[in-house]
């Protein structure tokens, strides 16, 4: 899997409509709050034309793309962390995702009620962020209480972690999210164990009317300014257009997008932005049996990349044989790459690059 993300937002901002369009999973959509009760989960393939071209070059019998998982939870309202609406039980469903996709309503539609009575994307963002912070406060307070006994017994390690957790509590109590701060490796590990919602990277998705896809109205500019201030990701999509697109036969979709002046779908842009936000790269393995894409964090060393395929390959790693996608396409075959001396043999310290085509040598 490439990565997984939790979709959040107020009711009636188009979360489930976008989820349906992005995943074609058929989540319920209705014009009233809390239509989504249990979380909807959809897995979509990451579009990457490089994989198709590699499969053609290697005459691969099977193509296996990497994927993205979307988890759609019920719309949140002010007070959700204290049980308003259907409460914060939904937040538990996204505690272990890699990133949060925050859908923000930037369209006017008298037929779709706004839970707050009017459209104000910055206010809506603040409502959701506050609920995530309050939910994190509850998590941190539980951790502090659970570690009190160890601290009182004189456990120095527990006391050090407790002091850090208290610092996190202070930040949250001031209304500050946890993301974007500097932490030591040990503190990062403690945070990871807490699964705090405001520690996760955020991607804002401005859901606009079709007419606003080719321009940037004030509502969208305000969301973009918020994203830039926070160092968050930002994508503009139209849930209505994405729904129409997914209903078309695949062969007709490119022409539909071209008519709208769009080079790619909202899903493609969202996935690419997600990779950038999370610092991910794609490497490939290719041969006659299959051509396959793999996702790893930028900076991953060759043995750890091998471990994505199988833990035994990482344990027995000897070396990686590396060809670049660009060289393969330019020269037309792996044999030609070898003849030109462009196949590289790399060891344990090699950092995998986006577009690498790898073959791992290992011993059992």
């Amino acid at each position: 899997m490439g990565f997984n993300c939790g979709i959040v937002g107020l009711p009636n901002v188009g979360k489930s409509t976008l989820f349906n369009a992005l995943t074609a999973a058929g989540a319920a959509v209705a014009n009233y709050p809390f239509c989504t009760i249990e979380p909807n989960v959809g897995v979509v393939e990451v579009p990457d034309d490089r994989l198709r071209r590699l499969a053609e070059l290697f005459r691969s019998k099977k193509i296996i793309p990497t994927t993205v998982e979307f988890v759609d939870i019920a719309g949140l309202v002010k007070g959700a962390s204290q049980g308003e609406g259907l409460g914060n039980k939904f937040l538990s469903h996204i505690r272990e995702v890699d990133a949060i996709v925050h859908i923000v309503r930037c369209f006017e539609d008298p037929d779709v009620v706004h839970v707050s009575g009017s459209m104000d994307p910055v206010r809506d963002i603040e409502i959701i962020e506050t609920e995530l912070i309050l939910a994190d406060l509850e998590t941190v307070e539980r951790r502090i209480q659970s570690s009190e006994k160890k601290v009182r017994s004189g456990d120095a390690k527990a006391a050090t972690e407790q002091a850090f957790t208290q610092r996190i509590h202070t930040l949250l109590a001031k209304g500050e999210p946890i993301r974007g701060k500097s932490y030591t490796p040990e503190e990062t590990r403690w945070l990871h164990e807490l699964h705090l919602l405001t520690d996760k990277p955020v991607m804002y998705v401005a859901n606009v009317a079709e007419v606003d896809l080719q321009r940037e109205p004030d509502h969208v500019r305000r969301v973009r300014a918020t994203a830039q201030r926070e160092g968050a990701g930002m994508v503009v999509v139209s849930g209505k257009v994405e729904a129409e697109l997914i209903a078309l036969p695949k062969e007709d979709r490119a022409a539909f997008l071209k008519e709208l002046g769009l080079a790619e779908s909202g899903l493609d842009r969202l996935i690419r932005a997600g990779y950038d936000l999370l610092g991910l790269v794609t490497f490939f393995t290719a041969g006659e049996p299959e051509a396959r894409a793999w996702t790893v964090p930028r900076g991953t060393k060759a043995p750890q990349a091998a471990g994505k395929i199988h833990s035994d390959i990482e344990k027995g790693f000897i070396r990686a044989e590396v060809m670049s996608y660009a060289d393969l396409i330019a020269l037309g075959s792996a044999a030609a790459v070898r003849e030109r001396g462009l196949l590289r043999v790399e060891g344990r310290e090699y950092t995998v690059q986006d577009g690498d085509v790898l073959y791992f040598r290992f011993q059992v």
Side-chain angles (χ1 to χ4, degrees):
M1 182 178 296
F3 62 96
N4 61 353
C5 50
I7 302 177
V8 302
L10 292 172
N12 296 347
V13 298
K15 291 191 316 86
S16 293
T17 298
L18 276 168
F19 175 83
N20 285 352
L22 296 178
T23 68
V29 180
N31 182 20
Y32 57 89
F34 315 121
C35 171
T36 306
I37 305 300
E38 294 301 321
N40 294 303
V41 179
V43 177
V44 300
E45 297 178 355
V46 173
D48 194 328
D49 192 56
R50 296 176 297 179
L51 184 60
R52 178 189 61 79
R53 297 189 68 184
L54 285 172
E56 292 173 353
L57 191 151
F58 283 91
R59 296 185 175 88
S60 304
K61 296 176 182 177
K62 187 188 298 185
I63 298 177
I64 305 177
T66 188
T67 59
V68 177
E69 180 182 83
F70 292 97
V71 183
D72 177 32
I73 65 171
L76 302 173
V77 295
K78 187 174 182 179
S81 58
Q82 276 75 49
E84 286 297 319
L86 294 179
N88 68 350
K89 91 171 202 179
F90 304 116
L91 295 176
S92 66
H93 296 142
I94 58 170
R95 286 208 174 271
E96 297 189 23
V97 298
D98 298 316
I100 288 177
V101 172
H102 186 162
I103 311 295
V104 185
R105 179 169 172 170
C106 291
F107 65 89
E108 298 278 8
D109 189 339
D111 295 327
V112 180
V113 298
H114 194 295
V115 71
S116 297
S118 62
M119 186 170 67
D120 184 339
V122 173
R123 176 205 60 204
D124 295 349
I125 288 172
E126 290 173 350
I127 289 173
I128 298 299
E129 185 80 335
T130 297
E131 295 309 315
L132 299 182
I133 287 171
L134 290 172
D136 280 353
L137 263 174
E138 184 179 326
T139 299
V140 169
E141 286 167 357
R142 285 199 303 268
R143 174 58 66 91
I144 291 172
Q145 291 169 7
S146 67
S147 62
E148 282 291 346
K149 187 175 180 181
K150 286 185 178 181
V151 174
R152 286 198 302 269
S153 71
D155 187 323
K157 185 177 180 181
T160 302
E161 182 178 352
Q162 177 90 309
F164 170 72
T165 310
Q166 289 281 10
R167 179 154 61 91
I168 294 301
H169 185 277
T170 300
L171 285 172
L172 292 167
K174 291 192 295 186
E176 295 185 32
I178 301 306
R179 73 181 74 89
K181 310 291 192 298
S182 296
Y183 303 104
T184 67
E186 186 174 41
E187 290 171 345
T188 300
R189 179 173 59 78
W190 290 334
L191 278 177
H192 182 72
E193 291 172 357
L194 287 168
H195 298 293
L196 297 180
L197 296 165
T198 63
D199 184 38
K200 301 180 187 300
V202 173
M203 173 74 64
Y204 290 114
V205 176
N207 188 11
V208 302
E210 179 181 326
V211 295
D212 290 330
L213 282 172
Q214 296 297 338
R215 59 186 183 182
E216 188 152 302
D218 182 60
H219 291 309
V220 175
R221 284 193 292 271
R222 294 175 68 199
V223 176
R224 190 175 299 282
T226 298
Q228 290 173 345
R229 185 172 63 253
E230 296 178 359
M234 163 76 175
V235 176
V236 178
V237 303
S238 169
K240 182 175 181 294
V241 167
E242 294 298 316
E244 292 174 358
L245 179 67
I246 202 68
L248 293 173
K250 286 186 177 181
E251 60 270 19
D252 296 337
R253 292 175 188 174
F256 177 75
L257 289 171
K258 188 175 181 180
E259 286 179 12
L260 296 175
L262 301 174
E264 56 187 347
S265 71
L267 173 61
D268 290 358
R269 285 182 282 115
L270 177 57
I271 290 175
R272 191 174 65 252
Y275 268 68
D276 290 341
L277 180 68
L278 294 171
L280 303 175
V281 298
T282 300
F283 74 89
F284 304 96
T285 54
E288 187 177 341
E290 67 178 35
R292 185 162 183 166
W294 306 86
T295 299
V296 293
R298 186 173 289 113
T300 297
K301 300 295 185 183
Q304 286 68 54
K308 287 285 290 186
I309 300 172
H310 198 286
S311 59
D312 287 346
I313 304 179
E314 180 177 1
K315 291 175 184 176
F317 178 88
I318 299 173
R319 64 181 181 271
E321 297 177 2
V322 185
M323 291 182 282
S324 78
Y325 170 80
D327 287 342
L328 274 166
I329 296 305
L331 297 176
S333 72
V337 171
R338 292 189 183 93
E339 288 170 6
R340 293 286 188 90
L342 295 175
L343 182 145
R344 307 190 313 278
V345 177
E346 303 285 358
R348 291 183 170 277
E349 295 306 309
Y350 177 68
T351 299
V352 173
Q353 304 298 309
D354 187 67
D356 277 351
V357 181
L358 302 176
Y359 182 81
F360 295 106
R361 298 286 184 181
F362 67 102
Q363 59 186 3
V364 179

